[in-house]
Amino acid sequence: MHKVGILGAGAMGAGIAQVAATAGWSVQLIDVDLDTATRAIEGVSARLKRSVDKGRINQETATAIQKRLHASTVSELSECDLFIEAIVEDMDIKVSAMLPVVEAIPNSSIIATNTSSLSVSELGQRLGQAHRTCGMHFFNPAPVMRLVEVVKGSRTNPENVDRVADIALSWGKQVARCADTPGFIVNRVARPYYLEAFRCLEEGIDGPDAIDDVMKRLGGFRMGPFELTDFIGHDVNTATTRTVWEQWNRPTRLTPSFAQEQLVAEGTLGRKTGCGVYDWSGEAPVAVLGPAQECCTVNASVVSAARLFAEGVGQSTAFTDRQSVALTRILSAVINEASWALHDGVADQADIDIAMQAGVNYPHGPFAWAEHIGLDLVAETLAVLNTTTDDGRFVTPPVSN
Ligand code: NAD
């Protein structure tokens, strides 16, 4: 039986342990002490019991999965094929906790980190193990979310990247391979979905209900940008935006939204505090954040471009021009960010599309969206948005030969 050692038995480590054990791997779960790891395994067992109660798995399967989960210590990792780190997001703490692991595991085993925002290359180099250190970026909750971003550090041996990708696939995940860059794929390409929606709100293009509505019913997204950020939590969402924006040297495209940061400053963080863009205290959410400037005029050439773009997306006749403008701006900005990510060498088109579909449930990947809408139409729309916007955030990447 294959063995994986997992350091960190929090939300992610416990979830990854469940995924690996479900796929038939023996799991050694480690935390600051055995009790913490044991409690995490009890948490997984409780989840498995709920799955049995709901008829999703049978008792025999649940028992077999539980038997493969072991609370462990670093010194017991001498036979693991793979080691995954999922502790606190701090480079120095990760390095000091992982150095003893490097001593304990076989030379042939792969070292993976679940980091969302730290450099995989720097971690590998500081461990003295750059050739066998990769990113294995799961999404929360790991047993439910389909995607793993497999990250190649600048000096990771490609064979080790292939092995990690194969393991993730054998664990039932979809894999998107990417370079070691800030936000990897998903946390970068998804930014404009939130940011451009807030910019539409700030400019008074339309209200949250109308924008969420068009993104769901015409765009096919499961959640509109405002209900989604209320669900994620504006503190978490803006922190990711800030990190990605800073690490990419503050491109205008990814500039944090003033209105969203204001929500954080006021402690209206979304569903978890009962209020964010919407008030969630009643039976149905009620928008509390309105358009900043009621009835702003929208540039006529943008409206014309948005009508064509929205028609390219689908049956747009049931939506107002303002809704079409919001959809056009948000979706074009996502497609443009995907193009910049491609240009920056983050990943190839297929991996970016897989990542956005499996990682954040987009109805299509950004490149598939662009094909569907029409590449020329998307290019023309971005050109109109660029000439009518003064901060340059719709500038497209240079075309490579
Ligand atoms: P968490 O706070 O839920 O769990 C972290 C665990 O690590 C805790 O149980 C803690 O006791 C343990 N720990 C801390 N220092 C340790 C040490 N020196 N030795 C052993 N154990 C130690 O955190 P999390 O949300 O599971 O995140 C873990 C990692 O996964 C982070 O790098 C985070 O960026 C990344 N990540 C988080 C999410 C998410 O949505 N939570 C998603 C993807 C990636």
Side-chain angles (χ1 to χ4, degrees):
M1 191 187 300
H2 291 300
K3 289 189 175 170
V4 58
I6 300 175
L7 185 69
M12 295 309 295
I16 298 166
Q18 182 178 337
V19 170
T22 303
W25 282 53
S26 171
V27 178
Q28 289 167 285
L29 189 58
I30 303 162
D31 206 282
V32 285
D33 51 40
L34 270 180
D35 279 353
T36 311
T38 304
R39 277 198 304 278
I41 291 173
E42 285 165 2
V44 174
S45 299
R47 281 207 292 269
L48 292 170
K49 183 177 178 310
R50 283 197 291 280
S51 294
V52 172
D53 292 344
K54 288 180 180 166
R56 290 194 188 128
I57 55 171
N58 62 36
Q59 184 58 54
E60 203 182 12
T61 305
T63 306
I65 296 169
Q66 278 163 26
K67 281 191 180 156
R68 290 193 281 269
L69 291 164
H70 313 279
S72 198
T73 58
V74 170
S75 59
E76 294 170 306
L77 293 178
S78 61
E79 289 176 11
C80 73
D81 305 283
L82 169 67
F83 163 72
I84 303 174
E85 168 283 314
I87 66 168
V88 49
E89 190 76 330
D90 180 297
M91 179 63 82
D92 290 339
I93 297 176
K94 283 189 195 288
V95 170
S96 59
M98 289 170 78
L99 281 171
V101 175
V102 171
E103 296 298 314
I105 59 178
N107 287 334
S108 58
S109 64
I110 299 176
I111 299 169
T113 170
N114 189 47
T115 183
S116 298
S117 62
L118 301 174
S119 161
V120 173
S121 312
E122 182 185 343
L123 181 64
Q125 186 239 324
R126 286 184 60 180
L127 294 172
Q129 305 295 325
H131 63 293
R132 60 171 172 153
T133 303
C134 316
M136 201 175 186
H137 187 224
F138 289 81
F139 289 73
N140 192 18
V144 177
M145 299 303 289
R146 293 173 290 153
L147 182 68
V148 176
E149 289 176 326
V150 171
V151 184
K152 182 186 179 305
S154 54
R155 288 173 52 213
T156 317
N157 184 331
E159 281 168 22
N160 289 330
V161 180
D162 290 344
R163 278 172 66 196
V164 167
D166 287 345
I167 291 168
L169 288 171
S170 76
W171 288 1
K173 296 299 179 191
Q174 284 182 261
V175 166
R177 291 166 181 252
C178 59
D180 183 21
T181 53
F184 307 131
I185 303 172
V186 170
N187 280 339
R188 171 180 174 169
V189 176
R191 302 276 41 92
Y193 188 67
Y194 322 115
L195 289 171
E196 196 57 29
F198 271 96
R199 297 200 215 297
C200 287
L201 192 66
E202 286 166 6
E203 288 170 32
I205 299 295
D206 221 330
D209 301 281
I211 296 175
D212 278 351
D213 176 56
V214 72
M215 295 313 293
K216 286 190 290 187
R217 288 199 297 125
L218 182 54
F221 290 85
R222 282 201 196 161
M223 291 174 94
F226 299 109
E227 54 182 349
L228 181 54
T229 45
D230 266 5
F231 182 76
I232 294 167
H234 295 282
D235 52 342
V236 173
N237 194 252
T238 54
T240 307
T241 296
R242 280 219 160 250
T243 305
V244 173
W245 178 61
E246 296 281 1
Q247 291 181 349
W248 277 107
N249 293 325
R250 302 183 166 208
T252 313
R253 299 186 316 276
L254 304 177
T255 305
S257 145
F258 178 78
Q260 196 184 12
E261 296 213 320
Q262 195 72 21
L263 286 174
V264 179
E266 289 166 5
T268 43
L269 305 180
R271 292 183 76 145
K272 62 188 171 189
T273 59
C275 194
V277 175
Y278 295 98
D279 181 347
W280 294 91
S281 59
E283 284 201 350
V286 178
V288 286
L289 211 62
Q293 311 155 29
E294 292 288 341
C295 300
C296 73
T297 49
V298 186
N299 183 297
S301 57
V302 172
V303 173
S304 306
R307 282 187 191 141
L308 288 174
F309 187 95
E311 267 172 39
V313 170
Q315 283 290 335
S316 60
T317 44
F319 300 91
T320 65
D321 280 346
R322 283 173 181 271
Q323 285 181 300
S324 296
V325 168
L327 171 119
T328 300
R329 283 176 45 170
I330 297 165
L331 194 47
S332 310
V334 169
I335 291 170
N336 198 32
E337 194 56 43
S339 303
W340 276 104
L342 179 71
H343 169 267
D344 292 339
V346 172
D348 66 23
Q349 288 197 8
D351 284 300
I352 292 173
D353 273 358
I354 286 171
M356 302 315 288
Q357 282 190 282
V360 268
N361 294 318
Y362 282 11
H364 308 288
F367 294 103
W369 259 124
E371 290 274 353
H372 169 81
I373 296 163
L375 296 180
D376 289 345
L377 181 54
V378 170
E380 285 156 20
T381 307
L382 281 163
V384 171
L385 291 172
N386 184 36
T387 49
T388 52
T389 308
D390 53 17
D391 64 9
R393 69 183 185 277
F394 287 103
V395 168
T396 53
V399 179
S400 50
N401 297 314

